Amino acid sequence: EVRKVNCEGVTCIDYAGGIIAVGRQDNKVILFDEELEEKYTITDHRSAVTCVAVSNNGKFVASGDSGRKIFVHETSGTYDMVVSQWAFHDARVNTVAWSDSGDQAVSGGVDTNVFVWNR
């Protein structure tokens, strides 16, 4: 079975714990469930979203952007922002990934730096 949803300007995608996170050029992250039902739109970014990572348990999504910022949100309930700005990169954030436990994340950017973050 193949399911499809139209989502313009996709720049990155991740899928874990029943949550699909799609980063877009229009500074948004769209969260879908496994049936591709849209659940929430994250609108905190002020530049194109360049990377997304859903924690293994599906409870959190981290998203990085071309303006060097990383945000972390819960993926259910009120979709609260857990971290407002991990902003130590000096340039675009290229990648972000969660530890198995979901307590830490790592990020890498154009600035050649790798950071380990505690949630």
Side-chain angles (χ1 to χ4, degrees):
E1 176 184 349
V2 175
R3 282 172 253 143
K4 173 183 161 184
V5 65
N6 184 20
C7 196
E8 293 183 25
V10 173
T11 58
C12 51
I13 192 165
D14 194 31
Y15 174 38
I19 301 294
I20 300 166
V22 178
R24 299 188 345 184
Q25 292 174 347
D26 65 359
N27 312 345
K28 296 177 183 173
V29 177
I30 313 298
L31 301 179
F32 296 94
D33 65 15
E34 293 174 304
E35 301 299 317
L36 292 179
E37 295 282 331
E38 188 173 325
K39 294 302 186 183
Y40 189 72
T41 300
I42 296 169
T43 59
D44 299 303
H45 291 280
R46 299 294 171 246
S47 57
V49 177
T50 54
C51 56
V52 293
V54 180
S55 62
N56 290 340
N57 59 13
K59 291 184 178 181
F60 302 100
V61 61
S63 51
D65 64 32
S66 60
R68 67 182 187 78
K69 305 270 192 294
I70 300 170
F71 296 91
V72 177
H73 285 79
E74 293 179 341
T75 59
S76 63
T78 58
Y79 299 90
D80 287 339
M81 185 186 310
V82 178
V83 175
S84 61
Q85 291 186 15
W86 284 335
F88 286 99
H89 283 285
D90 295 325
R92 180 182 71 224
V93 180
N94 282 342
T95 189
V96 63
W98 287 98
S99 66
D100 287 342
S101 68
D103 292 329
Q104 292 181 311
V106 295
S107 63
V110 171
D111 59 6
T112 70
N113 292 315
V114 172
F115 292 99
V116 177
W117 308 91
N118 291 315
R119 185 175 48 78

